[in-house]
Amino acid sequence: MHLEQLEYIVEVAKTGSITSAARNLHVSLSAVSQSITHLEGELGVVLFARSRMGAVPTAEGKVIIGKAFEVLSKLDELKETARGWGETLSGELRMGTIPGPMSLLVDAVAGFKQDYPLVRMEIAEKGSQEILDDIRHNRLDIGFIILFESLLKKSEGVTFERLLEGKMVVGMSDKSPLAYRGAVTPEMLRTQPVVLYNDEYVRWFMNRFAAEHGEVDILFTTNNTDAIRKAVEEQNAVTVGMDYSFRREWTPLFTEVNMLTAELEFKAGQPVYLGWVRAEGRHFPRVSKTFVERLRSGLQ
């Protein structure tokens, strides 16, 4: 038995495909297939039920793959312990975030990189569901998303921790009919053209709003923050989002717009948090742990 065989079966289980596993591991399809066949022969157990649709772990395979995952996790922990005896933190940190906290993370990364220059860091802006999928398939180490009950219920294989509690507000330019109001009622919001960021929580929130107060006039939904800014500034539209997304020190989304915000008099009935997420059961590297601790302390 070789460690690479364990890596292969874990990756196949994650992707559900020998082809995808080979691509992710940068090895040939035949290398992965033959390695799994040899391991099955050595153990006397069929690990995967293979078909044109992919490779699905058998009942026995799930147990063996779980043990393989534990072995690889312990190996990563062993390597990290050995590296930890050196004075300089090194390694790789791959992060994904929804748009709101991007500027906050950029500032945190800049400070972290200055203290730990040997750490390779990547940040990608994505939607919540894509971040969760990337975490599960080991394409990201940490993700920053909005945590709410409905999302948590369908997020197996990941673990969450809260960073900040937030609330939904209405954002508008100073030329909007809703400008300079302390609060916006559902009736007021329904009279305005609305542009929305295409995210899991925003969709859930607006569906709840529509169910109780009727549909709003949605001009468009997009993942392009420049398009939202342009619609707010030039088309006199309003947008709905988490309050921290409008903090000028955190996000450049509205730095060129005289943006105002007002509370929306509608509560979805669930507390909402900006939080971070990582894979459940997987070894949590010291690089990731150190970055999260620094970020958390900076928010206090």
Side-chain angles (χ1 to χ4, degrees):
M1 182 183 300
H2 302 285
L3 285 174
E4 67 180 19
Q5 292 175 304
L6 304 186
E7 293 175 349
Y8 291 171
I9 64 173
V10 167
E11 190 63 27
V12 171
K14 287 178 184 176
T15 62
S17 165
I18 294 177
T19 301
S20 297
R23 182 171 57 249
N24 292 347
L25 294 169
H26 306 291
V27 296
S28 69
L29 176 62
S30 62
V32 176
S33 181
Q34 291 176 21
S35 179
I36 293 175
T37 299
H38 291 158
L39 182 59
E40 288 177 329
E42 182 179 349
L43 298 176
V45 173
V46 177
L47 300 175
F48 295 96
R50 308 188 198 187
S51 71
R52 293 181 179 179
M53 302 299 293
V56 179
T58 62
E60 299 83 357
K62 289 180 180 179
V63 177
I64 299 298
I65 293 165
K67 296 295 183 182
F69 185 88
E70 293 176 9
V71 170
L72 295 175
S73 181
K74 286 296 182 183
L75 179 62
D76 288 339
E77 188 175 344
L78 183 152
K79 291 178 179 177
E80 186 175 88
T81 299
R83 288 196 300 266
W85 284 322
E87 294 184 358
T88 304
L89 188 67
S90 62
E92 181 181 42
L93 179 54
R94 303 162 300 169
M95 296 180 287
T97 182
I98 56 175
M102 175 59 85
S103 184
L104 168 69
L105 289 180
V106 169
D107 291 341
V109 165
F112 193 83
K113 187 71 174 178
Q114 186 173 8
D115 292 338
Y116 304 106
L118 297 183
V119 176
R120 301 183 305 277
M121 307 187 76
E122 299 176 5
I123 311 178
E125 188 175 278
K126 301 170 179 277
S128 298
Q129 194 58 57
E130 187 178 3
I131 289 172
L132 292 175
D133 291 341
D134 284 349
I135 291 288
R136 291 191 190 96
H137 293 94
N138 198 32
R139 293 189 289 263
L140 291 175
D141 301 304
I142 303 174
F144 296 89
I145 63 174
I146 298 172
L147 310 181
F148 64 106
E149 184 179 341
S150 297
L151 182 66
L152 296 178
K153 288 180 178 178
K154 57 179 181 179
S155 298
E156 296 181 1
V158 295
T159 183
F160 300 85
E161 185 171 326
R162 300 170 182 174
L163 288 174
L164 289 173
E165 186 169 1
K167 60 184 177 182
M168 294 292 274
V169 297
V170 180
M172 69 213 76
S173 77
D174 58 355
K175 303 180 186 67
S176 170
L178 302 184
Y180 303 107
R181 295 180 181 273
V184 172
T185 66
E187 292 74 21
M188 292 175 183
L189 183 63
R190 293 185 65 231
T191 66
Q192 303 300 311
V194 179
V195 292
L196 298 172
Y197 187 79
N198 186 20
D199 182 74
E200 180 98 4
Y201 180 70
V202 175
R203 290 195 300 271
W204 178 88
F205 182 89
M206 295 307 296
N207 286 338
R208 289 290 298 269
F209 181 95
E212 293 193 27
H213 298 285
E215 298 286 344
V216 298
D217 177 18
I218 298 179
L219 193 59
F220 60 80
T221 301
T222 181
N223 289 116
N224 188 314
T225 52
D226 286 332
I228 295 176
R229 178 173 56 211
K230 185 178 180 68
V232 169
E233 184 175 30
E234 299 180 8
Q235 303 300 323
N236 222 19
V238 300
T239 187
V240 179
M242 296 298 294
D243 55 347
Y244 58 74
S245 298
F246 298 94
R247 296 185 186 180
R248 292 181 181 275
E249 68 271 23
W250 278 25
T251 173
L253 177 57
F254 298 111
T255 53
E256 297 176 4
V257 182
N258 190 8
M259 174 61 63
L260 305 172
T261 61
E263 289 202 27
L264 177 59
E265 293 183 352
F266 171 73
K267 307 302 179 189
Q270 296 182 2
V272 184
Y273 300 91
L274 170 65
W276 63 274
V277 55
R278 67 180 180 90
E280 186 176 33
R282 191 179 300 159
H283 172 59
F284 193 37
R286 190 162 66 100
V287 171
S288 302
K289 189 180 304 181
T290 304
F291 180 81
V292 169
E293 289 173 353
R294 289 267 300 253
L295 180 63
R296 189 189 296 114
S297 65
L299 294 174
Q300 294 175 351

